[in-house]
Amino acid sequence: GAGVSQSPSNKVTEKGKDVELRCDPISGHTALYWYRQSLGQGLEFLIYFQGNSAPDKSGLPSDRFSAERTGGSVSTLTIQRTQQEDSAVYLCASSAPGQGVYEQYFGPGTRLTVT
Amino acid sequence: AQSVTQLGSHVSVSEGALVLLRCNYSSSVPPYLFWYVQYPNQGLQLLLKYTSAATLVKGINGFEAEFKKSETSFHLTKPSAHMSDAAEYFCAVSDLDTGFQKLVFGTGTRLLVSP
């Protein structure tokens, strides 16, 4: 079956511009996660959506970062006024709590480069 | 809060040799533990998981890991390395303190396999 997909695969943007990163989770997965992978920080949790509950945004590094999930499916991570330190690979994952015991399935990531 | 420590940012082995990647965890409650593999320019793929059932867990591609509570360890092994095993490996623990399945990752170990 189809896995988690992310778009674009690569994004180059100028400092100060806004970017949107998209994630399509596995169909039927109610939980969706965003992580950031960067050289200096490793893999960091950003935000978590579970069904219709309020998302847990505790990992977002600043108020320039936001995310939404429409219709319990597709999610968009938005970074406003991008900075060079935002350059990283942004990974999305989904899971179906209650099945597979918290196993998360990851997409291929979006590589963001801020120039 | 849960955490994991991976000893050795790089591990080099010869093809056919034993692979041993180390992971120690810190958790106030019985943890769920995972090993993920990341090939170049790809997302993370689950190798295996420990969910409080059998302490010896077998995964894909001939990998296995043993949960040792007394040593707070979950080391990953493979009897005979293949060139295709060259990748980065991440140990992760589920952060159950906050009531959901956020993964807390180690810093990763890059496995190099020489002919």
Side-chain angles (χ1 to χ4, degrees):
Chain A
V4 177
S5 61
Q6 293 186 245
S7 60
S9 55
N10 282 282
K11 177 71 177 179
V12 180
T13 189
E14 293 180 353
K15 178 181 174 181
K17 301 283 190 182
D18 297 352
V19 294
E20 287 188 349
L21 313 179
R22 177 187 169 102
C23 172
D24 282 271
I26 293 173
S27 178
H29 280 193
T30 57
L32 186 147
Y33 315 76
W34 284 97
Y35 294 85
R36 180 170 70 174
Q37 185 174 25
S38 55
L39 282 176
Q41 302 297 323
L43 274 156
E44 307 170 273
F45 163 81
L46 296 177
I47 188 169
Y48 161 72
F49 296 88
Q50 170 54 50
N52 296 321
S53 302
D56 189 297
K57 307 178 182 180
S58 60
L60 295 179
S62 77
D63 58 9
R64 296 186 295 105
F65 287 72
S66 63
E68 63 177 20
R69 188 178 185 193
T70 54
S73 182
V74 172
S75 177
T76 302
L77 178 69
T78 301
I79 309 173
Q80 296 179 311
R81 306 180 302 282
T82 52
Q83 304 294 313
Q84 288 186 332
E85 61 263 28
D86 300 335
S87 295
V89 176
Y90 290 82
L91 293 167
C92 176
S94 69
S95 71
Q99 302 174 15
V101 198
Y102 312 111
E103 182 172 322
Q104 295 184 23
Y105 295 84
F106 283 80
T110 293
R111 182 175 299 276
L112 175 66
T113 304
V114 181
T115 60
Chain B
Q2 283 83 12
S3 65
V4 291
T5 302
Q6 292 184 245
L7 296 177
S9 58
H10 292 79
V11 170
S12 295
V13 300
S14 299
E15 192 172 20
L18 171 71
V19 176
L20 171 61
L21 305 182
R22 300 178 185 273
C23 173
N24 288 87
Y25 69 91
S26 171
S27 176
S28 59
V29 297
Y32 292 151
L33 293 159
F34 306 82
W35 276 99
Y36 281 86
V37 61
Q38 186 177 35
Y39 298 101
N41 300 313
Q42 295 187 27
L44 282 79
Q45 180 182 6
L46 181 69
L47 276 177
L48 49 80
K49 61 189 178 190
Y50 168 75
T51 58
S52 72
T55 56
L56 182 62
V57 181
K58 295 187 183 297
I60 62 172
N61 302 338
F63 284 94
E64 62 182 37
E66 185 172 8
F67 174 74
K68 292 187 177 181
K69 184 178 179 179
S70 61
E71 299 178 6
T72 61
S73 69
F74 190 57
H75 301 331
L76 182 70
T77 60
K78 182 173 180 178
S80 177
H82 293 166
M83 297 294 291
S84 60
D85 294 328
E88 188 149 21
Y89 293 79
F90 293 92
C91 183
V93 63
S94 277
D95 184 4
L96 301 178
D97 282 351
T98 51
F100 64 94
Q101 306 95 41
K102 178 181 80 172
L103 290 175
V104 177
F105 287 91
T107 51
T109 298
R110 185 168 297 280
L111 177 64
L112 307 171
V113 183
S114 57

